[in-house]
Every structure is written in C-alpha cells, then in structure tokens.
Amino acid sequence: MKHKPGSTGAHHHSGTFCKGSDVMLNPKPSEQSTMCERHCSKTFSKLSMHIEGMPSEILLKIFSYLDAVTLLCIGCVNKRFYSLANDNFIWFRIYSASFSPKRSNWEVNTVEKTTASLSQASLHDKETGYWKKKYIVKQIAAGKTAVTQLLKPVNPYTGLPVKTKEALRVSGLSWVIVLKEKNGKEYIMEQAEFSVNDTSVTVVWHGNNWPRIDKLATLDLCGVTPVFLDRYKVPTKNGPRRRSLVAEYNLTNLTKSTSIGSDRLIRTFCLNPGLLIGLWKKEKEMAFVMANLHFHLLVERSTLGSATVPYMLPPHIPFLDDIDQQYGLHGYQLHVDMHSGGSSYLCGTFRNLFSRKDFIKNGYMKLIVISFKNNAQHLPLIGKVGLCWKTDVFAGCIQNCYMMDVTLLDETEKPFWCFSSPVCMRPATRPSDFFNYRGRHFYVTYIDPVGKVNLELVWMEETEEYYVVSLALYLRIEKVNSWFGTNY
C-alpha cells in the first residue's frame, strides 16, 4: 500500500506554445488551473471595483431583493457591505414576511401595509442590525419549537423519541470533527456519511487529507445546524450554521489499552464516549473516524451547546418512595442492539429486571439479564459478526467487533443509562462454567462512569454462530442512590 491510500501516479504532460504567441496550446493541468485562476481573479476584481463604486441607495435597492441567507453572505464581503446589509428597513420586511401577525377575517395586513405603517424614522431609531438580530433569534426559536414537537412521542420499548429520524431531517443536523494540533492549528472535517440504527446514529469521516496523528492533540465532535430552518427545503452548507460541542477527545491516548481490533490494513482504537479511530498500519496515519451517537438527548446535545461548551443536562430530581423498601432495585427495562454496517446481530428488549440487596458488592448493583444457568434465555447472534469500515478507496471488516447500544429504563420508564460504543469479543482465558456448550468462549466488557456490562458468548462450530450465554449489568450504587434518593 502506498503512502497515500487512493493516490495515483502523476503523469507528465508537455506543453506546446503557438509561434509568435504567449498562449499555451496544451498547458499542463497545474498551469491551466493557474491561468484560469488569474483570469477569474481579474474578472472578479474589475466586477468588485464596479460594484464598490455604486451609490449606497442603489446597493440597498439591490439588497432588498435578497433573501436572509444571501443577505448574511453579502455582509461578509467587506465593511461597507456589512453596514448596508444590516439595514433595518430591509430586515424589517424580511421579519414581517416570516412572522406576520395572525390574519383576521375582517382585515388583512400585507407586508407592504405593515412596513408602510412604520415611518422611516421609527425604523432607523433602532440601532443598526436590530431587526436582523430579532429575525435570527426568532428563527432559531421557531426551529427549536418545531423539532421539540417532533421529539415528544415516545417509543414504549426504548423510552426514546419515536420521530428522532424525522427530527434529524427537519433540523438539518449534521456533525463535524475539529482536529487540533499541539501548536493550536485546527482542521475541520465534514461528515462523509451517516446511518440511522435502531437507537443510535453512526457518523463516519474519511478522506486522503488527514493531518499526521503524532501532531494532533485533541478531537472535538460538534453538531452543526443551519440558523434558518425550512422543513420543506433541504438545508445547504453555504448558509449560516451554528456549532454545538458534543464531546472532546484526547488523541494522545491511542495506546494498547484503547485498541479494540485490527485487520490486515488498519488498527482501531476506542475513546469514550463511542468514538472509533482507524489508523493505517504501515503509515500510522488516520484512515477514518467513526462516532456512534445514542438517540437519548441526541438532538439537544447536538444543537443546544455552544462551540466550546457542551449542552448541560437538566438536573435530575429523585422521586422518593418511603413505602417501597426495595425502591431502585427493581422495575428496570433494557433495550440492547448489537449492529454494524446496517446489519443487526441482536436486537431485543428485556423487562422486569431486578436486583437484591445482597447483589450490591464493591460499589456496584448487579442486574442479571441472561443467566448461563437458564438455557431458554440464551440467544444467537444473527449473521457474520464484524465491524465494517470503508474509506474513499478501501473497505474491510474487523472480526469479532461490533457496535453495542444499551438503553436502560428505570421503573418509571425514563432513561437511566444510555450509551453507544464499539466493543470487541476477546477469547476467554479462564476455564468456562458453561458445561452445556462445546466451543471457544469469548467475553465482552464495557465500562463507563455509570456502570459496566459483562457479556459472555460461545462459538458453536456446528451452526457457525455465536450464542450469548450470559449478560449482566453492573450499576454504580452512587448513581442509583443519587437517582432514586436512596442510601444503599
């Protein structure tokens, strides 16, 4: 594999000049591009000088025909255009057209009448850009309201919004990663593709122009939304957009402890929460970045934060139950989805999970989901298990790895613990307790500040499939006590 995957060898082209002329008949591609750039630069320069010489009154008349997005873009050209593009009269017309008062059956006030009713003096009494700011604030609020309404209906099996996929479309939400070098230099990478799973979204970035991994310090994952939403139009990347920090990752932690799997081309590393980084084996350069984002508060986390501060979850107020002596130990419901590349290996809901006080050990409370003692609970993984990846040129599949989504609801059917993360099945090193199965034994372990998951599987040679023979959740007792107001 060459230093740059997907790169092709350069071919030499000779150029021929016409006799007595400075025009190149067969210019090199680079020279042809340079000639075009010079021509466009001269043309734009002449056009810019011509427009700059126009009186302000004519420019304001031209600007009055522009929509809000174009007007904001025009304001970025220079200081004069910025000042003119903030004109209150123009923005009041735009504001009135979008947020005109409710019409009655007796009288209809058109935009022209409403605008005419306000004198020029009253419009210009406001500071420059007043109606522009007012329009932007109201547009953002209207967009949030529309998305919030979509997120209200809840799926009884997962406890998550039913219309998350539609909310993502209406909000125009996408994600970018900001790679920061140790010297402060930044690279912004737009998402290459994303797919919607049962309870999560998988977002992928790949390309041939990654900075060197040894120069990078951090990676910021940000949600990006257009300032102006129109549910009937597809949002464009050219308009104004807002950025919301979802998570920040330290790229100096790509060590053996964070490595989860490899194939003949790449090695992968997992950084919590839910980030997978693939490095080319030979060059040790980045091949792709993959983020698995759980549906729980996904839209809020991707839209309501700032560019530097993530969205803060509202404080949880525990509901005290003095009657129930086992409050916080029973009534849990688990929805789990194991998937990769559009294929689901296991997707199911487990109800009425409970624990006992004697299950509280070493700071954790244990919930048994699948018991190895009960053969009727054991479940197969459907299909060939592997974590699928691809770049602009190459594609592959890392065996025994996949994405795992966990959604745990409390007895009030509210999300208690939610995560999406890549995991890897590793061979068991200790003797197996599963005497009923003959085959290789594997385990999966996941841990974060809320709890940990222990999953044990057996590879059945006869049927060539994995069987889940044990699944247990361990919840930190500190989280349980703070959530339910208990003192276990």
Side-chain angles (χ1 to χ4, degrees):
M1 186 176 63
K2 295 185 178 181
H3 181 71
K4 286 292 184 181
S7 63
T8 56
H11 298 283
H12 179 72
H13 295 272
S14 61
T16 304
F17 283 91
C18 179
K19 188 176 182 180
S21 172
D22 292 331
V23 180
M24 211 175 197
L25 296 181
N26 297 307
K28 298 179 182 178
S30 59
E31 294 170 342
Q32 194 175 22
S33 175
T34 303
M35 292 166 59
C36 181
E37 289 176 1
R38 289 175 182 171
H39 174 74
C40 292
S41 178
K42 290 180 180 179
T43 304
F44 179 78
S45 179
K46 291 179 181 179
L47 181 61
S48 178
M49 291 176 60
H50 182 68
I51 295 176
E52 277 289 327
M54 287 186 177
S56 297
E57 293 78 10
I58 295 179
L59 288 174
L60 284 172
K61 184 65 176 179
I62 295 173
F63 289 0
S64 68
Y65 292 101
L66 303 179
D67 58 28
V69 173
T70 309
L71 201 58
L72 287 175
C73 293
I74 284 291
C76 297
V77 173
N78 54 42
K79 290 183 178 180
R80 185 188 180 203
F81 278 22
Y82 176 79
S83 177
L84 294 174
N86 279 351
D87 182 76
N88 278 331
F89 187 80
I90 295 176
W91 280 102
F92 180 75
R93 287 174 59 89
I94 294 174
Y95 178 90
S96 301
S98 300
F99 305 108
S100 56
K102 294 182 180 179
R103 298 181 178 181
S104 66
N105 294 328
W106 301 99
E107 183 179 359
V108 176
N109 289 325
T110 63
V111 174
E112 289 75 11
K113 288 183 179 180
T114 305
T115 306
S117 65
L118 293 175
S119 64
Q120 291 280 352
S122 64
L123 281 174
H124 290 288
D125 281 345
K126 304 289 185 182
E127 69 273 13
T128 303
Y130 171 84
W131 287 103
K132 168 187 170 182
K133 295 176 183 176
K134 194 174 181 66
Y135 174 79
I136 291 175
V137 169
K138 198 156 186 176
Q139 274 283 9
I140 293 174
K144 289 180 179 178
T145 301
V147 174
T148 301
Q149 293 298 321
L150 288 173
L151 296 174
K152 283 185 176 181
V154 174
N155 187 323
Y157 294 99
T158 64
L160 304 172
V162 177
K163 297 183 179 180
T164 298
K165 188 174 182 178
E166 185 177 352
L168 295 177
R169 180 186 60 81
V170 170
S171 66
L173 178 61
S174 61
W175 291 270
V176 300
I177 52 176
V178 183
L179 301 171
K180 298 181 180 180
E181 289 188 350
K182 297 172 184 177
N183 61 10
K185 187 176 180 180
E186 294 186 355
Y187 303 84
I188 299 177
M189 314 291 287
E190 301 281 348
Q191 71 181 40
E193 56 188 70
F194 82 100
S195 57
V196 180
N197 312 305
D198 193 52
T199 54
S200 68
V201 171
T202 301
V203 191
V204 182
W205 296 263
H206 54 73
N208 293 329
N209 297 317
W210 295 94
R212 289 180 56 88
I213 187 65
D214 56 352
K215 293 184 178 181
L216 295 176
T218 60
L219 181 153
D220 288 353
L221 171 63
C222 302
V224 177
T225 48
V227 173
F228 305 137
L229 297 181
D230 189 339
R231 64 187 307 165
Y232 302 107
K233 294 181 180 179
V234 178
T236 63
K237 295 180 180 180
N238 297 327
R241 300 190 295 171
R242 300 174 64 249
R243 189 188 299 176
S244 174
L245 178 63
V246 177
E248 184 178 12
Y249 302 87
N250 185 353
L251 294 183
T252 61
N253 290 336
L254 303 185
T255 60
K256 186 176 180 180
S257 62
T258 59
S259 176
I260 69 166
S262 63
D263 60 15
R264 64 186 184 87
L265 292 178
I266 65 165
R267 294 174 59 201
T268 56
F269 299 83
C270 177
L271 299 177
N272 284 336
L275 191 76
L276 185 73
I277 295 179
L279 300 183
W280 298 111
K281 273 187 172 180
K282 290 186 177 180
E283 287 79 7
K284 295 183 180 179
E285 294 181 349
M286 296 180 71
F288 65 85
V289 173
M290 186 182 301
N292 226 47
L293 307 173
H294 197 280
F295 277 171
H296 179 51
L297 296 177
L298 173 60
V299 176
E300 291 85 347
R301 289 183 289 123
S302 301
T303 59
L304 300 184
S306 70
T308 55
V309 180
Y311 167 70
M312 296 297 294
L313 299 178
H316 173 75
I317 301 175
F319 173 75
L320 301 179
D321 191 342
D322 297 330
I323 300 177
D324 188 354
Q325 299 298 319
Q326 303 294 319
Y327 188 55
L329 300 182
H330 59 78
Y332 290 94
Q333 176 177 313
L334 171 68
H335 184 82
V336 62
D337 184 22
M338 304 176 188
H339 61 89
S340 177
S343 300
S344 182
Y345 308 128
L346 174 65
C347 186
T349 301
F350 304 86
R351 301 178 183 274
N352 301 320
L353 303 179
F354 66 93
S355 183
R356 298 195 304 263
K357 289 186 178 180
D358 58 331
F359 279 6
I360 301 175
K361 296 179 181 178
N362 302 321
Y364 286 95
M365 182 188 79
K366 183 178 181 180
L367 295 176
I368 298 177
V369 183
I370 296 177
S371 172
F372 68 86
K373 295 180 180 179
N374 189 346
N375 291 357
Q377 293 182 343
H378 300 172
L379 298 172
L381 298 187
I382 307 301
K384 186 177 181 181
V385 178
L387 198 153
C388 301
W389 63 270
K390 69 176 182 178
T391 64
D392 294 338
V393 178
F394 297 100
C397 189
I398 302 175
Q399 293 183 0
N400 297 342
C401 295
Y402 55 85
M403 297 292 185
M404 181 168 66
D405 302 344
V406 164
T407 309
L408 184 67
L409 308 181
D410 62 18
E411 64 179 63
T412 65
E413 298 184 349
K414 295 289 189 285
F416 177 84
W417 184 28
C418 301
F419 71 83
S420 298
S421 178
V423 294
C424 182
M425 297 186 295
R426 304 188 185 279
T429 55
R430 60 179 175 79
S432 174
D433 297 325
F434 314 125
F435 302 109
N436 296 336
Y437 294 96
R438 293 182 179 178
R440 289 175 292 168
H441 294 257
F442 297 83
Y443 71 93
V444 172
T445 301
Y446 171 86
I447 186 169
D448 67 19
V450 178
K452 58 184 179 179
V453 177
N454 282 355
L455 179 69
E456 301 192 52
L457 309 99
V458 175
W459 171 252
M460 304 296 293
E461 294 287 353
E462 297 81 4
T463 57
E464 294 188 342
E465 59 187 351
Y466 291 97
Y467 261 81
V468 178
V469 294
S470 176
L471 174 58
L473 307 183
Y474 295 82
L475 308 179
R476 286 192 183 273
I477 200 65
E478 292 180 4
K479 166 74 173 181
V480 175
N481 287 334
S482 64
W483 188 267
F484 295 102
T486 53
N487 191 28
Y488 294 117

